């Protein structure tokens, strides 16, 4: 059986699972870690964000899976000889303060007015003027180089979890890509195309399930192949939940399936692949051929990664025209 036939067989088996007795929702294959329960705050000043800022930052933290609610400004981060990870987006927060001016429209410092009595304020015609300033803050997990205690999660005991026995063929495949992969104790796996970085939970969180770890890692590497410097698939850009975003998820998961099942032999991952794909295929009901179109792109991605593992020169192609002409 040649490679193309193998990919087609895997696609057909996944479709059979999706259309058959597959029940339940997709569950993340790693163990979520406890998160810091403290409210959103600034670790430099110690101030807790209030009002609308608390709502905004709590929502961002929940959506992004940040383990701590520590948010700092760019200047505060750089003042500590740290840096913001490339491609990270700041969150706007508002800060209200009171300014003061006298009858001659001269502004006075708050500490000056604070020492005035009520009679003096009245005589000088002191007025208080509420002002609003906009700041932009980053979560500490969008940074690199802060002191270790900023990132430390004392609630987490990774020693209670078991790291799986490594599969050398899978390790070599991942290593050969040269992709920038950072392992962070956390509850998120993702690829950041702007920074060209893959973020994965630490291996202990997969609790002795090698197949699950490699499936997740190769899913993100599937996204990684779409970078403009590789297969140039991600340059179109899509919002979360859109058909285009869903289509890219199908490509990445099928890439993972082709590699974990077809190339590495982790056959037990087929049900997980099918469960994940089913959660995204619902968005693409208007196009019954979506999974086959995604499979064609996933085949290119899988071949690209296999070529790298063999030391071959991978085929670099501009897929934009194909995707546009065969759009969903």
């Amino acid at each position: 059986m040649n490679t193309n036939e193998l990919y087609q067989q895997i696609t057909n088996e996944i479709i059979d699972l999706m259309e058959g007795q597959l029940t339940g929702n997709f569950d993340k294959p790693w163990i979520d870690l406890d998160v810091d329960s403290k409210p959103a705050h600034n670790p430099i000043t110690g101030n807790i964000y209030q009002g609308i800022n608390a709502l905004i930052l709590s929502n961002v933290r929940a959506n992004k899976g940040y383990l701590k609610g520590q948010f700092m400004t760019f200047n505060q981060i750089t003042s500590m000889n740290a840096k913001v990870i490339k491609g990270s987006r700041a969150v706007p927060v508002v800060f209200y303060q009171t300014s003061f001016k006298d009858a001659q429209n001269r502004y006075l410092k708050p500490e000056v007015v604070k020492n005035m009595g009520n009679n003096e304020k009245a005589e000088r015609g002191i007025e208080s003027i509420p002002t609003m300033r906009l700041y932009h803050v980053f979560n500490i997990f969008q940074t690199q180089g802060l002191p270790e205690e900023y990132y430390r999660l004392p609630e987490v005991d990774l020693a209670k979890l078991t790291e799986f026995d490594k599969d050398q063929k899978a390790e070599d495949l991942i290593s050969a890509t040269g992709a920038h992969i950072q392992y962070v104790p956390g509850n998120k796996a993702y690829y950041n195309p702007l920074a060209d970085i893959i973020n994965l939970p630490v291996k202990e969180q997969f609790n002795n399930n090698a197949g699950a770890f490699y499936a997740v890692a190769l899913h993100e590497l599937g996204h990684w192949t779409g970078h403009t410097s590789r297969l140039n698939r991600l340059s179109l850009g899509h919002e979360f939940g859109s058909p285009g975003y869903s289509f890219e998820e199908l490509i990445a998961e099928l890439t993972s399936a082709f590699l974990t099942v077809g190339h590495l032999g982790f056959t037990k991952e087929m049900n997980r692949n099918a469960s994940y794909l089913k959660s995204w295929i619902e968005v693409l009901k208007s196009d019954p051929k979506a999974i086959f179109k995604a499979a064609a792109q996933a085949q290119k991605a899988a071949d690209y990664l296999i070529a790298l593992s063999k030391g071959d020169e991978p085929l670099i192609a501009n897929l934009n025209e194909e995707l546009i002409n065969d759009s969903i």
Side-chain angles (χ1 to χ4, degrees):
M1 183 182 298
N2 63 36
T3 302
N4 291 349
E5 291 172 337
L6 178 60
Y7 289 160
Q8 187 60 55
Q9 178 179 319
I10 292 171
T11 302
N12 291 339
E13 289 182 16
I14 286 176
I15 292 172
D16 287 342
L17 284 170
M18 290 167 61
E19 294 177 343
Q21 301 302 313
L22 188 66
T23 59
N25 297 321
F26 170 76
D27 292 321
K28 287 183 291 188
W30 63 82
I31 296 171
D32 274 350
L33 300 178
D34 293 335
V35 297
D36 189 341
S37 60
K38 294 180 182 178
H41 62 283
N42 188 306
I44 299 291
T45 64
N47 292 335
I48 295 175
Y49 292 99
Q50 304 287 343
I52 188 65
N53 293 333
L55 293 175
I56 292 172
L57 296 179
S58 295
N59 184 58
V60 168
R61 180 182 175 186
N63 288 338
K64 298 295 185 181
Y66 295 136
L67 299 183
K68 283 189 172 184
Q70 296 182 348
F71 291 86
M72 307 163 63
T73 66
F74 180 85
N75 288 340
Q76 288 175 325
I77 293 165
T78 56
S79 71
M80 301 184 69
N81 296 318
K83 63 180 181 179
V84 174
I85 296 172
K86 184 179 178 182
S88 299
R89 291 188 177 183
V91 183
V93 294
V94 293
F95 175 68
Y96 293 93
Q97 62 184 22
T98 302
S99 299
F100 300 92
K101 67 177 182 178
D102 62 18
Q104 283 73 44
N105 285 324
R106 293 176 299 192
Y107 282 88
L108 304 174
K109 294 181 178 180
E111 55 268 27
V112 172
V113 177
K114 181 180 179 181
N115 295 324
M116 291 183 183
N118 290 333
N119 290 336
E120 184 179 359
K121 289 180 184 177
E123 290 174 1
R124 298 182 59 175
I126 302 297
E127 291 183 69
S128 61
I129 305 170
T131 58
M132 180 182 75
R133 297 186 65 181
L134 184 67
Y135 288 88
H136 291 82
V137 295
F138 297 88
N139 186 271
I140 60 164
F141 287 100
Q142 294 176 288
T143 71
Q144 294 174 329
L146 288 172
E148 183 60 32
E149 59 265 24
Y150 281 78
Y151 306 106
R152 188 178 300 130
L153 291 165
E155 301 90 346
V156 177
D157 188 2
L158 292 176
K160 293 181 179 179
L161 304 178
T162 304
E163 184 174 349
F164 52 80
D165 293 329
K166 296 177 181 178
D167 181 280
Q168 197 56 51
K169 186 177 180 181
E171 292 288 330
D172 290 344
L173 173 62
I174 294 171
S175 176
T177 65
H180 183 177
I181 301 176
Q182 55 185 15
Y183 298 92
V184 179
N187 304 334
K188 288 281 188 179
Y190 60 86
Y191 169 63
N192 180 338
L194 294 177
D196 198 21
I197 293 176
I198 292 172
N199 187 95
L200 294 175
V202 294
K203 293 181 178 180
E204 289 87 348
Q205 287 180 251
F206 290 83
N207 209 22
N208 206 26
N209 189 340
F213 168 77
Y214 293 123
V216 172
L218 291 169
H219 174 102
E220 301 307 333
L221 279 166
H223 288 309
W224 177 86
T225 65
H227 190 268
T228 52
S229 66
R230 299 176 195 104
L231 294 179
N232 198 16
R233 191 180 64 243
L234 298 180
S235 58
L236 295 176
H238 298 288
E239 292 296 324
F240 179 84
S242 68
Y245 187 101
S246 303
F247 188 56
E248 172 60 25
E249 287 301 310
L250 297 184
I251 294 172
E253 189 63 17
L254 284 168
T255 301
S256 174
F258 292 162
L259 293 171
T260 53
V261 179
H263 187 65
L264 299 173
F266 289 99
T267 56
K268 292 182 179 180
E269 290 305 305
M270 186 76 83
N271 276 314
R272 196 198 70 82
N273 294 135
S275 296
Y276 186 85
L277 287 165
K278 189 174 183 179
S279 69
W280 287 103
I281 201 70
E282 293 296 313
V283 185
L284 302 171
K285 283 183 176 179
S286 59
D287 185 0
K289 296 181 180 179
I291 193 167
F292 295 104
K293 295 176 183 178
Q297 304 302 334
Q299 178 175 335
K300 293 181 174 67
D303 288 344
Y304 184 98
L305 294 170
I306 290 173
L308 288 176
S309 72
K310 294 180 178 179
D312 297 335
E313 187 69 27
L315 176 65
I316 299 177
N318 188 329
L319 301 184
N320 284 346
E321 185 176 349
E322 296 177 34
L323 289 173
I324 293 170
N325 293 336
D326 198 21
S327 61
I328 49 175

